[in-house]
Amino acid sequence: MAEHNFTSTKDYVASEELMASVNVAIALQKPLLIKGEPGTGKTMLAEAVARSLGKKLIVWNIKSTTKAQDGLYVYDTIQRLYDGQFGEEGVDDISRYIKLGKLGEAFDSEEQVVLLIDEIDKADLEFPNDLLWELDQMEFYIHETKRTVKAKQRPIVIITSNAEKELPDAFLRRCIFHYIAFPDAALMEEIVKVHYPDIEEHILKNAMEAFYEIRSMRDIRKKPSTSELIDWVNALQIGGIPAQQIKTALPFIGVVVKKDEDLQAVLHKAD
């Protein structure tokens, strides 16, 4: 595992457990499936891994309409028909009209890349199953050109899920799994200080106490995330808010709480 050893970067603080999971997945050459509530840094992890290991990052953002085929390749029949009508040369060369998708790009790269398959649970239930062969064998077949695209360098695959849908067992068996727990106060302090190393200690302490109090409230529907705390701390600094006012007045609380009913619950408790 020493050759590919992921560690925290100056922009991303990872727990020991997360770093170990990444390095085990790399060593075993298996996809790393990351779950966790929004705002725990799932997507940013892939950026940090690529930066830490000095590798290119390829991002495949999954939507509800995404099909597995989209990640492999598309055959641009419309462009070929258009070129044929206008007498373009080379229209008989079908390979000109094969466009590799993100998975295809990762396989076709001369150097090992980090491939992020982001929010896989947004797609339909068949999507993960449709990728089993490709992720196992690291190859796929282009029927139109009778060419097999085989990974030149096996990519480091990171897959994120917000747990909106259950993923198939057959897919889960092929992955290393890690759940990113919401950062505790000690880790959160490290994360904030990555962004604002010179922050005044009392501002950070009071902001974090108020933040974790809000997260612990039963009535809160959308719990604030790490990124919202970072934005709030920034707003407090820019606004020149005295530390002692943070917990009593909750200035700029709309940076942290984004739903009307949550805001009412927070302000009611503050009163």
Side-chain angles (χ1 to χ4, degrees):
M1 258 195 294
E3 184 184 350
H4 298 291
N5 194 29
F6 165 63
T7 58
S8 292
T9 70
K10 66 182 180 67
D11 299 317
Y12 188 92
V13 178
S15 67
E16 293 291 334
E17 295 82 3
L18 178 55
M19 286 189 281
S21 293
V22 170
N23 290 318
V24 165
I26 293 171
L28 297 181
Q29 298 187 327
K30 287 180 175 290
L32 176 63
L33 174 62
I34 297 289
K35 287 188 180 182
E37 68 176 79
T40 47
K42 299 187 297 296
T43 299
M44 290 174 61
L45 171 65
E47 299 170 8
V49 170
R51 196 177 300 117
S52 173
L53 302 180
K55 298 185 183 299
K56 178 184 174 182
L57 173 65
I58 295 177
V59 179
W60 185 11
N61 291 305
I62 307 302
K63 301 181 175 66
S64 59
T65 54
T66 304
K67 303 297 181 190
Q69 179 64 40
D70 301 337
L72 306 181
Y73 72 95
V74 292
Y75 172 30
D76 195 345
T77 53
I78 303 298
Q79 186 63 51
R80 189 180 181 210
L81 181 62
Y82 182 84
D83 288 351
Q85 287 176 337
F86 288 89
E88 292 283 336
E89 289 186 14
V91 73
D92 292 334
D93 182 5
I94 295 178
S95 65
R96 288 183 56 195
Y97 303 96
I98 300 295
K99 311 293 183 189
L100 292 178
K102 298 297 185 180
L103 198 61
E105 279 182 43
F107 286 4
D108 208 40
S109 174
E110 294 294 337
E111 297 185 355
Q112 186 183 49
V113 301
V114 175
L115 172 66
L116 170 63
I117 304 177
D118 201 22
E119 299 191 324
I120 194 171
D121 51 327
K122 279 190 174 178
D124 66 38
L125 291 173
E126 288 306 310
F127 180 86
N129 281 334
D130 290 344
L131 287 177
L132 289 180
W133 168 265
E134 288 77 15
L135 290 176
D136 258 354
Q137 303 299 317
M138 286 287 151
E139 67 179 45
F140 62 89
Y141 184 69
I142 301 177
H143 297 278
E144 291 80 3
T145 59
K146 298 179 173 54
R147 174 194 170 205
T148 296
V149 177
K150 190 171 180 63
K152 295 172 181 174
Q153 299 287 340
R154 192 179 187 97
I156 298 167
V157 181
I158 296 175
I159 303 168
T160 70
S161 169
N162 286 325
E164 291 178 11
K165 296 190 190 93
E166 280 298 319
L167 298 172
D169 288 348
F171 181 79
L172 294 174
R173 280 197 297 271
R174 288 163 169 82
C175 297
I176 303 297
F177 174 72
H178 183 87
Y179 183 88
I180 300 183
F182 197 82
D184 61 18
L187 183 58
M188 185 65 84
E189 185 174 335
E190 274 190 68
I191 292 169
V192 174
K193 285 183 174 178
V194 161
H195 297 269
Y196 305 112
D198 300 323
I199 186 170
E200 204 266 308
E201 286 294 334
H202 290 299
I203 288 179
L204 178 57
K205 177 178 178 293
N206 288 2
M208 283 181 52
E209 284 180 7
F211 174 81
Y212 279 103
E213 268 184 38
I214 292 169
R215 279 188 56 88
S216 69
M217 290 174 61
R218 286 187 177 182
D219 297 337
I220 295 295
R221 289 180 55 195
K222 182 194 176 299
K223 292 185 177 184
S225 67
T226 304
S227 60
E228 285 154 340
L229 173 61
I230 291 167
D231 288 343
W232 192 34
V233 164
N234 193 27
L236 293 169
Q237 292 183 109
I238 292 170
I241 304 298
Q244 64 270 22
Q245 288 184 18
I246 293 173
K247 293 179 69 177
T248 53
L250 295 176
F252 312 126
I253 195 60
V255 177
V256 178
V257 181
K258 305 294 176 65
K259 287 184 176 288
D260 291 343
E261 53 268 48
D262 290 350
L263 185 59
Q264 294 304 318
V266 169
L267 294 178
H268 178 72
K269 184 173 182 181
D271 291 342

